[in-house]
Amino acid sequence: MQTGIEVLAAGALGSAGWTLLEYVLHRFVFHGASATRIGAREHRRHHAQVDYFAPAWQKGLAALGVTAVVLPLLVAVTGALLGISFTAGFLTMYALYEILHRRAHTHPPRGPYGRWRRRNHFAHHFVDPRRGQGVTTPVWDVVFRTRLPVEIVRVPRRLAMPWLLGEDGAVLGAYAKDYVLVGTDRADDDTRRADTRAAMENRSPATY
Ligand SMILES: [Zn+2]
Ligand SMILES: [Zn+2]
């Protein structure tokens, strides 16, 4: 019989396990060699078009598929309680990742963690998509030496997050030490095509 501590530890391990998978998927699948793999295609479209997020049903299906394989295996090896606890920790962290990633794009930061998360993620989007792969934690970028030390993130005006800007279209004072707008807000077919090409090739979008 497992103790409460063991069950909690299995849940914590599941959460940590998700953050590692988040990093590995993001680095080696979404930004991997093939741009046409299902996860890569959707993710690079998100880079080209920052308000695009892969449909929820695709994510739900992927989570269900992973759970269907991993849960019975874990239960067989560790017993039902630890297996379920690990899987619950893993899935909770995955759901949190989805929420935190989307909110980074749609809502302004609140507190130091929100600020770090946005600076890191938008540096990943706009400075170097091959680094800063961790969305919820910097740990794996530190471990695998892909950290993206950025003082001030240069945001192409046409791709700017809505929360960053005031009514006059300039960066709000509260974020001026973290972000600067570059280029024009021209978002015609040519710039869209160029942004798509850059995203497919894991390059940052042009700053004209
Ligand atoms: Zn993003
Ligand atoms: Zn990415």
Side-chain angles (χ1 to χ4, degrees):
M1 189 63 201
Q2 282 90 30
T3 63
I5 298 284
E6 285 170 333
V7 175
L8 279 178
L13 207 63
S15 300
W18 161 261
T19 66
L20 178 59
L21 187 64
E22 169 195 306
Y23 177 88
V24 167
L25 280 177
H26 194 180
R27 179 171 171 191
F28 296 106
V29 180
F30 302 165
H31 291 288
S34 162
T36 52
R37 244 191 236 169
I38 175 108
R41 205 172 47 215
E42 293 293 312
H43 185 72
R44 291 181 210 200
R45 192 170 158 197
H46 166 63
H47 270 258
Q49 219 180 308
V50 284
D51 57 355
Y52 174 78
F53 295 92
W57 68 264
Q58 278 186 11
K59 296 175 173 179
L61 210 64
L64 207 67
V66 171
T67 308
V69 175
V70 170
L71 182 59
L73 274 174
L74 277 173
V75 167
V77 175
T78 65
L81 213 52
L82 292 185
I84 290 169
S85 178
F86 180 96
T87 308
F90 183 90
L91 289 176
T92 304
M93 198 60 208
Y94 165 66
L96 204 62
Y97 151 79
E98 288 288 359
I99 293 165
L100 292 176
H101 175 223
R102 189 173 291 235
R103 280 188 73 88
H105 282 271
T106 57
H107 288 70
R110 272 197 255 146
Y113 174 61
R115 182 179 170 207
W116 167 80
R117 200 153 36 79
R118 282 163 182 79
R119 276 160 54 92
N120 176 69
H121 189 60
F122 294 115
H124 165 74
H125 267 276
F126 302 131
V127 178
D128 187 355
R130 288 156 309 171
R131 300 204 285 153
Q133 311 286 357
V135 173
T136 57
T137 168
V139 167
W140 303 112
D141 280 301
V142 171
V143 170
F144 297 113
R145 296 170 187 274
T146 51
R147 219 166 61 84
L148 194 47
V150 168
E151 287 295 304
I152 188 156
V153 181
R154 291 160 57 84
V155 181
R157 203 176 292 265
R158 66 189 179 285
L159 298 172
M161 308 71 90
W163 56 259
L164 184 65
L165 311 177
E167 278 175 13
D168 58 354
V171 172
L172 287 169
Y175 313 124
K177 58 182 184 306
D178 292 339
Y179 302 94
V180 63
L181 291 176
V182 290
T184 67
D185 57 4
R186 191 159 57 93
D188 54 19
D189 285 352
D190 283 346
T191 50
R192 260 192 288 271
R193 260 197 298 275
D195 286 343
T196 302
R197 207 172 321 120
M200 289 301 157
E201 294 167 3
N202 284 332
R203 286 184 285 109
S204 56
T207 51
Y208 34 63

